């Protein structure tokens, strides 16, 4: 049996894309009072707030469910926030499916920016995503922590049911994250097009199809990435680099040899030059 360490990185990436394509549906919860689209207020940063959906949001969910009835949905996953659960329950009632929830499918925790006018919050959010992705928003989480959590949540929800079509009822920034990953070519490092991430998304209650390969969605093979995929500068031992490790308990990746570590990725004991 061939050891993965003996394969070229191209062969490994080709292997990741050689398996069956997975198809799932992803969309946003119905409108709340914080959504400008609801027509009752200016758009506000929703984050981890627990505002329920409005009657308008419930109607959006029912219309979505009717459109999805012919798509063969077998499983519904949602975040555990009220607006996502309520939307998923309405859709589930119509499709005859009991939704499952996951805290990993929550949006980016914006902490002190929650409920601020979107026009005020957006420039701050863009600065954290572009310039300081490893720094937590006050009382919230960093962009990279959100990204790792969200990808893990999507991969778990879809990967747990490989033989069924999964519907994810999530939030704007979960949907935007996958759009931005798609715009970047779905790299296994989970690199994204940040400008695409920051663009305005679809309206609340809307759903779309997403296609990928499960190994790419997990974002790792044997829990390892190359320095190039992690956007690191090459270390002094390119043939067998064991100088940097990523840990969920660390605030950012560290390396004994590489001085300029980009916050865009991490290395998990893999060859720096495969």
């Amino acid at each position: 049996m061939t050891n993965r360490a003996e394969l070229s990185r191209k062969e490994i990436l080709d292997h990741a894309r050689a398996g069956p394509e997975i198809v799932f549906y992803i969309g946003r919860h119905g409108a709340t009072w914080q959504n400008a689209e609801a027509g009752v207020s200016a758009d506000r940063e929703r984050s981890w707030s627990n505002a329920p959906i409005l009657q308008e949001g419930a109607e959006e969910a029912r219309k979505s469910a009717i459109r999805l009835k012919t798509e063969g949905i077998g499983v519904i996953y949602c975040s555990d926030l009220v607006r996502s659960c309520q939307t998923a329950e309405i859709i589930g009632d119509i499709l005859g499916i009991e939704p499952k929830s996951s805290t990993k499918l929550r949006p980016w925790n914006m902490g002190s920016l929650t409920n601020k006018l979107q026009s005020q919050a957006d420039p701050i959010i863009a600065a954290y995503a572009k310039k300081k992705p490893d720094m937590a928003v006050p009382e919230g989480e960093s962009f990279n922590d959100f990204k790792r959590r969200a990808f893990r949540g999507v991969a778990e929800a879809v990967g747990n049911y490989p033989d069924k079509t999964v519907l994810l009822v999530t939030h704007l920034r979960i949907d935007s994250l996958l759009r931005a990953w798609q715009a970047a070519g779905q790299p296994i490092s989970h690199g994204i097009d940040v400008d695409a991430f920051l663009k305005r998304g679809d309206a609340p209650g809307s759903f779309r199809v997403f296609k990928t390969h499960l190994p790419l969605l997990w974002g790792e093979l044997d829990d390892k990435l190359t320095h190039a995929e992690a956007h690191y500068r090459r270390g002094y031992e390119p043939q067998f680099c064991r100088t940097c490790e990523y840990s969920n308990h660390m605030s950012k990746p560290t390396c004994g040899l590489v001085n300029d570590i980009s916050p865009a990725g991490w290395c998990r004991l893999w060859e720096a030059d495969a």
Side-chain angles (χ1 to χ4, degrees), residues 108 128-129 132-137 141-148 177 192 194 197:
W108 185 359
Y128 274 97
K132 39 190 178 182
D134 279 311
M135 182 181 294
V137 177
E141 65 183 336
S142 73
F143 175 70
N144 279 340
D145 282 344
F146 155 67
K147 184 171 76 168
R148 284 188 284 269
L177 185 66
I192 68 164
V194 180
F197 172 77

Short mmCIF file of all heavy atoms in Angstrom, two decimals, residues 108 128-129 132-137 141-148 177 192 194 197:
data_model
loop_
_atom_site.label_atom_id
_atom_site.label_comp_id
_atom_site.label_asym_id
_atom_site.label_seq_id
_atom_site.Cartn_x
_atom_site.Cartn_y
_atom_site.Cartn_z
N TRP A 108 -20.41 34.01 12.29
CA TRP A 108 -19.24 34.61 12.96
C TRP A 108 -19.73 35.36 14.18
O TRP A 108 -20.63 36.19 14.11
CB TRP A 108 -18.56 35.53 11.97
CG TRP A 108 -17.27 36.16 12.40
CD1 TRP A 108 -16.64 36.02 13.60
CD2 TRP A 108 -16.46 37.04 11.62
NE1 TRP A 108 -15.48 36.76 13.61
CE2 TRP A 108 -15.34 37.39 12.42
CE3 TRP A 108 -16.57 37.57 10.33
CZ2 TRP A 108 -14.35 38.25 11.95
CZ3 TRP A 108 -15.59 38.42 9.87
CH2 TRP A 108 -14.49 38.75 10.67
N TYR A 128 -11.23 43.25 10.18
CA TYR A 128 -10.86 42.02 10.88
C TYR A 128 -10.62 40.87 9.90
O TYR A 128 -9.68 40.10 10.05
CB TYR A 128 -11.94 41.64 11.89
CG TYR A 128 -11.79 42.32 13.22
CD1 TYR A 128 -12.52 43.47 13.53
CD2 TYR A 128 -10.92 41.82 14.18
CE1 TYR A 128 -12.38 44.11 14.75
CE2 TYR A 128 -10.76 42.45 15.41
CZ TYR A 128 -11.49 43.58 15.69
OH TYR A 128 -11.33 44.22 16.90
N ALA A 129 -11.46 40.75 8.88
CA ALA A 129 -11.32 39.66 7.93
C ALA A 129 -10.08 39.81 7.06
O ALA A 129 -9.40 38.82 6.76
CB ALA A 129 -12.56 39.57 7.04
N LYS A 132 -6.60 41.45 10.17
CA LYS A 132 -6.28 40.83 11.46
C LYS A 132 -7.18 39.62 11.70
O LYS A 132 -7.95 39.59 12.67
CB LYS A 132 -6.41 41.85 12.60
CG LYS A 132 -7.58 42.81 12.48
CD LYS A 132 -7.49 43.93 13.51
CE LYS A 132 -8.64 44.91 13.34
NZ LYS A 132 -8.56 46.04 14.30
N PRO A 133 -7.11 38.62 10.81
CA PRO A 133 -8.01 37.46 10.90
C PRO A 133 -7.78 36.57 12.11
O PRO A 133 -8.64 35.75 12.43
CB PRO A 133 -7.74 36.70 9.60
CG PRO A 133 -6.35 37.09 9.23
CD PRO A 133 -6.21 38.52 9.64
N ASP A 134 -6.65 36.72 12.80
CA ASP A 134 -6.41 35.92 14.00
C ASP A 134 -6.77 36.67 15.27
O ASP A 134 -6.65 36.12 16.37
CB ASP A 134 -4.94 35.48 14.07
CG ASP A 134 -4.67 34.28 13.20
OD1 ASP A 134 -5.43 33.30 13.28
OD2 ASP A 134 -3.70 34.31 12.41
N MET A 135 -7.19 37.91 15.14
CA MET A 135 -7.57 38.71 16.32
C MET A 135 -9.07 38.63 16.53
O MET A 135 -9.86 38.85 15.61
CB MET A 135 -7.14 40.17 16.13
CG MET A 135 -7.46 41.04 17.34
SD MET A 135 -6.96 42.78 17.08
CE MET A 135 -5.17 42.56 16.99
N ALA A 136 -9.49 38.31 17.73
CA ALA A 136 -10.91 38.19 18.02
C ALA A 136 -11.57 39.56 18.06
O ALA A 136 -11.00 40.53 18.57
CB ALA A 136 -11.11 37.48 19.37
N VAL A 137 -12.76 39.64 17.51
CA VAL A 137 -13.59 40.82 17.68
C VAL A 137 -13.89 40.94 19.18
O VAL A 137 -14.12 39.93 19.84
CB VAL A 137 -14.92 40.67 16.89
CG1 VAL A 137 -15.82 41.87 17.12
CG2 VAL A 137 -14.64 40.48 15.41
N GLU A 141 -15.22 36.32 18.34
CA GLU A 141 -14.18 35.39 17.92
C GLU A 141 -13.46 35.93 16.70
O GLU A 141 -13.95 36.84 16.02
CB GLU A 141 -14.78 34.01 17.61
CG GLU A 141 -15.73 33.98 16.44
CD GLU A 141 -16.36 32.61 16.19
OE1 GLU A 141 -15.78 31.58 16.59
OE2 GLU A 141 -17.45 32.59 15.59
N SER A 142 -12.29 35.38 16.41
CA SER A 142 -11.54 35.81 15.24
C SER A 142 -12.14 35.23 13.97
O SER A 142 -12.89 34.24 14.01
CB SER A 142 -10.07 35.36 15.37
OG SER A 142 -9.97 33.95 15.17
N PHE A 143 -11.80 35.82 12.84
CA PHE A 143 -12.29 35.32 11.57
C PHE A 143 -11.79 33.90 11.32
O PHE A 143 -12.55 33.04 10.87
CB PHE A 143 -11.84 36.25 10.43
CG PHE A 143 -12.22 35.72 9.07
CD1 PHE A 143 -13.54 35.69 8.67
CD2 PHE A 143 -11.25 35.24 8.20
CE1 PHE A 143 -13.90 35.20 7.42
CE2 PHE A 143 -11.60 34.74 6.96
CZ PHE A 143 -12.92 34.72 6.57
N ASN A 144 -10.52 33.64 11.60
CA ASN A 144 -10.00 32.30 11.34
C ASN A 144 -10.61 31.25 12.26
O ASN A 144 -10.82 30.11 11.85
CB ASN A 144 -8.48 32.29 11.45
CG ASN A 144 -7.81 32.79 10.18
OD1 ASN A 144 -8.42 32.79 9.12
ND2 ASN A 144 -6.56 33.22 10.29
N ASP A 145 -10.92 31.62 13.51
CA ASP A 145 -11.61 30.68 14.39
C ASP A 145 -13.00 30.37 13.84
O ASP A 145 -13.45 29.22 13.85
CB ASP A 145 -11.71 31.24 15.81
CG ASP A 145 -10.41 31.11 16.58
OD1 ASP A 145 -9.54 30.33 16.14
OD2 ASP A 145 -10.25 31.80 17.61
N PHE A 146 -13.70 31.41 13.39
CA PHE A 146 -15.01 31.21 12.77
C PHE A 146 -14.90 30.32 11.54
O PHE A 146 -15.68 29.38 11.36
CB PHE A 146 -15.61 32.56 12.37
CG PHE A 146 -16.61 32.48 11.25
CD1 PHE A 146 -17.83 31.83 11.42
CD2 PHE A 146 -16.33 33.03 10.00
CE1 PHE A 146 -18.75 31.74 10.37
CE2 PHE A 146 -17.23 32.96 8.96
CZ PHE A 146 -18.45 32.30 9.14
N LYS A 147 -13.90 30.58 10.69
CA LYS A 147 -13.76 29.83 9.45
C LYS A 147 -13.52 28.34 9.74
O LYS A 147 -14.16 27.47 9.13
CB LYS A 147 -12.62 30.41 8.62
CG LYS A 147 -12.46 29.75 7.26
CD LYS A 147 -11.48 30.49 6.38
CE LYS A 147 -10.06 30.24 6.77
NZ LYS A 147 -9.09 30.71 5.75
N ARG A 148 -12.61 28.05 10.67
CA ARG A 148 -12.33 26.64 10.99
C ARG A 148 -13.57 25.95 11.55
O ARG A 148 -13.89 24.82 11.20
CB ARG A 148 -11.16 26.57 11.98
CG ARG A 148 -9.80 26.82 11.35
CD ARG A 148 -8.69 26.53 12.32
NE ARG A 148 -8.52 27.58 13.31
CZ ARG A 148 -7.71 28.62 13.17
NH1 ARG A 148 -7.00 28.76 12.06
NH2 ARG A 148 -7.60 29.53 14.11
N LEU A 177 -19.15 32.38 3.33
CA LEU A 177 -17.87 31.68 3.43
C LEU A 177 -17.73 30.63 2.33
O LEU A 177 -16.68 30.53 1.68
CB LEU A 177 -17.76 31.01 4.81
CG LEU A 177 -16.43 30.33 5.13
CD1 LEU A 177 -15.31 31.36 5.21
CD2 LEU A 177 -16.54 29.55 6.42
N ILE A 192 -9.82 31.53 0.93
CA ILE A 192 -11.03 32.12 0.35
C ILE A 192 -10.71 33.43 -0.35
O ILE A 192 -9.64 34.02 -0.15
CB ILE A 192 -12.11 32.37 1.42
CG1 ILE A 192 -11.67 33.48 2.38
CG2 ILE A 192 -12.46 31.09 2.16
CD1 ILE A 192 -12.77 34.06 3.22
N VAL A 194 -11.52 36.90 -0.01
CA VAL A 194 -12.09 37.71 1.08
C VAL A 194 -13.07 38.74 0.55
O VAL A 194 -14.10 39.02 1.18
CB VAL A 194 -10.98 38.38 1.91
CG1 VAL A 194 -11.59 39.21 3.04
CG2 VAL A 194 -10.05 37.33 2.50
N PHE A 197 -16.27 37.16 0.11
CA PHE A 197 -16.89 36.91 1.42
C PHE A 197 -17.63 38.14 1.93
O PHE A 197 -18.69 38.04 2.54
CB PHE A 197 -15.82 36.49 2.43
CG PHE A 197 -16.31 36.39 3.84
CD1 PHE A 197 -17.07 35.30 4.26
CD2 PHE A 197 -16.04 37.39 4.76
CE1 PHE A 197 -17.54 35.22 5.57
CE2 PHE A 197 -16.50 37.31 6.06
CZ PHE A 197 -17.26 36.23 6.47
#
